[in-house]
Amino acid sequence: MTRRDALGAAGTAAVFGLAGCVGGTGGGGSDGGGEASATSTPAESTDLSVILNWKPNATQAGYFVADQNGFYEEEGLNVELVSGQGGAFAAKQVGLGNQDIGLGTGVALLQARNRDLDIRSFAGAQDSNAAIYTVEEQFGGTLSEPSQLAGKRVAVVAESAKTMTYLQMLLEQEGISEDVELVNVGVEQQTSNLLSGNVDAAVGIFSDSLGLQRKGYEASMLWLANYTPAIGRTVFARPGYATENPEVIRGFLRATARGWAWASNDPEGAMDRMVEARPSLSKSREVGLLKMKYTAKNLVLSETVREHGWGYQRADAWDRVVSSLVDGDVIDAGTTADGVWTNEYLDTNTDYVGEYAAQVSTDYDLPV
């Protein structure tokens, strides 16, 4: 038995232990390992490069679990997970043909298509994680409504297509864009500027606020997706590549859904897998575990997933986002959602994808 075989066997055993609690369907355990979804390892494997939206972190746990547990291998895929520099960078690399598959937000994908890069979303991997956050000591209270940002200084990373775009849309919508000072800071410098008093709030992701809470600060945040149309993290590729390699795309999506189910049911084990893949993550294990649980519970297991299965994309959601970005002059007038996304490669007849919600349990206690 190889190391990967051993990990996969141990992971499957751990997840099957939860099957009685979550009620798997079709004879499958909590990782969706039933007859309907079983695969055998093909004789030959296909190399597949996947560029992440950012550096390896716990919000990408499903991909690392799928790799470390051999789920991709069972689909005949030899996957390389490549560290990224943001969704826009990932979209560009995929569009140029430098990578096969990428992860990034709907905004990043649409902006890349606006630059004549032919890429398409093949799965909605998780809801948007963008948030405005602050601490009571600096903000003068709890941030609970967007209108409270009037007269405040907000740290932003201009290079972040997702957060900058959503923030500008929100401020315009609230009619306070002229009353908020946007302070451009470097990547991952939002929190340091907030705590030093240079700004009153910052735009980042949900884990920024959670991390501050763990350090004892009275932190609060607003989910940007609660106020503006948003498409979170997607799995994208070139349409031509998908047409030539349909089973590669299907297999990758099946294995990724299985990886997320496993990670959701066994966050501690999933964090072990991530640390094994990237030892440097051991330094932030506890925060990573919290991020993973939050992602699994609130961003991956969404209402859309409960209703339609993992990865399912809604036409109305894409239409709203495209319309909002056109209205905000973020993408060209006349742009539509035609050809931007497809559910064609999602195998909804498998436990991992179509019955994802029945395979997982995310009954974790979280601070917010």
Side-chain angles (χ1 to χ4, degrees):
M1 179 177 285
T2 66
R3 181 187 65 83
R4 176 167 288 179
D5 290 336
L7 288 172
T12 300
V15 176
F16 264 97
L18 291 171
C21 301
V22 300
T25 63
S30 300
D31 75 334
E35 295 287 336
S37 301
T39 59
S40 58
T41 305
E44 296 183 3
S45 62
T46 299
D47 290 338
L48 184 68
S49 61
V50 179
I51 184 167
L52 304 172
N53 59 300
W54 194 241
K55 293 178 288 186
N57 65 84
T59 70
Q60 305 153 345
Y63 305 91
F64 284 90
V65 166
D67 185 42
Q68 292 294 101
N69 279 13
F71 299 160
Y72 290 135
E73 189 175 19
E74 289 182 27
E75 296 286 353
L77 303 176
N78 179 31
V79 171
E80 178 188 10
L81 297 175
V82 180
S83 183
Q85 302 176 35
F89 180 80
K92 179 179 179 180
Q93 294 305 306
V94 172
L96 292 175
N98 297 330
Q99 304 289 340
D100 301 318
I101 288 178
L103 308 182
T105 65
V107 172
L109 182 148
L110 288 164
Q111 289 183 321
R113 287 177 63 92
N114 237 200
R115 294 191 293 270
D116 296 325
L117 294 174
D118 191 17
I119 59 176
R120 180 177 297 164
S121 173
F122 291 87
Q126 59 200 65
D127 284 353
S128 174
N129 60 14
I132 307 172
Y133 65 99
T134 188
V135 293
E136 186 173 305
E137 297 88 329
Q138 180 60 31
F139 198 73
T142 299
L143 175 60
S144 58
E145 297 291 339
S147 59
Q148 294 174 274
L149 295 172
K152 303 292 187 180
R153 299 161 298 165
V154 180
V156 296
V157 178
E159 291 84 358
S160 173
K162 171 186 68 177
T163 53
M164 176 64 86
T165 299
Y166 289 153
L167 175 62
Q168 290 174 329
M169 289 167 58
L170 173 60
L171 299 181
E172 288 287 344
Q173 179 179 297
E174 294 290 320
I176 58 174
S177 57
E178 299 298 322
D179 303 318
V180 178
E181 180 184 353
L182 302 185
V183 180
N184 190 25
V185 300
V187 176
E188 297 184 337
Q189 293 179 2
Q190 301 99 305
T191 297
S192 60
N193 275 271
L194 174 63
L195 297 181
S196 65
N198 293 335
V199 296
D200 304 301
V203 182
I205 64 174
F206 72 91
S207 59
D208 295 314
S209 178
L210 298 183
L212 287 168
Q213 287 184 352
R214 286 182 57 84
K215 293 179 180 178
Y217 292 96
E218 293 294 329
S220 54
M221 68 176 179
L222 299 178
W223 287 97
L224 284 169
N226 286 344
Y227 303 94
T228 62
I231 296 291
R233 189 172 300 167
T234 67
V235 177
F236 48 72
R238 299 181 306 284
Y241 179 87
T243 299
E244 295 173 2
N245 304 277
E247 287 309 309
V248 169
I249 300 295
R250 292 181 186 277
F252 178 79
L253 297 179
R254 285 193 300 265
T256 299
R258 185 181 177 188
W260 266 116
W262 197 99
S264 299
N265 288 330
D266 187 3
E268 291 278 0
M271 201 65 213
D272 290 341
R273 300 297 189 268
M274 291 211 66
V275 170
E276 181 164 347
R278 298 292 192 278
S280 61
L281 294 176
S282 63
K283 300 175 183 178
S284 56
R285 180 186 172 87
E286 291 306 312
V287 173
L289 187 60
L290 182 61
K291 289 169 66 174
M292 183 188 305
K293 290 180 177 180
Y294 209 93
T295 299
K297 183 171 185 174
N298 296 297
L299 303 180
V300 177
L301 189 58
S302 64
E303 287 305 312
T304 296
V305 169
R306 290 182 185 276
E307 183 177 355
H308 298 284
W310 182 89
Y312 185 86
Q313 302 176 88
R314 302 178 65 103
D316 58 339
W318 274 106
D319 288 340
R320 285 196 303 270
V321 167
V322 170
S323 177
S324 296
L325 295 180
V326 168
D327 290 344
D329 294 325
V330 177
I331 57 178
D332 294 342
T335 300
T336 69
D338 293 344
V340 171
W341 62 276
T342 179
N343 289 325
E344 178 184 354
Y345 294 77
L346 289 170
D347 289 337
T348 55
N349 62 319
T350 63
D351 288 346
Y352 317 134
V353 180
E355 298 294 333
Y356 178 87
Q359 311 303 320
V360 302
S361 174
T362 57
D363 189 21
Y364 327 126
D365 290 327
L366 296 172
V368 292

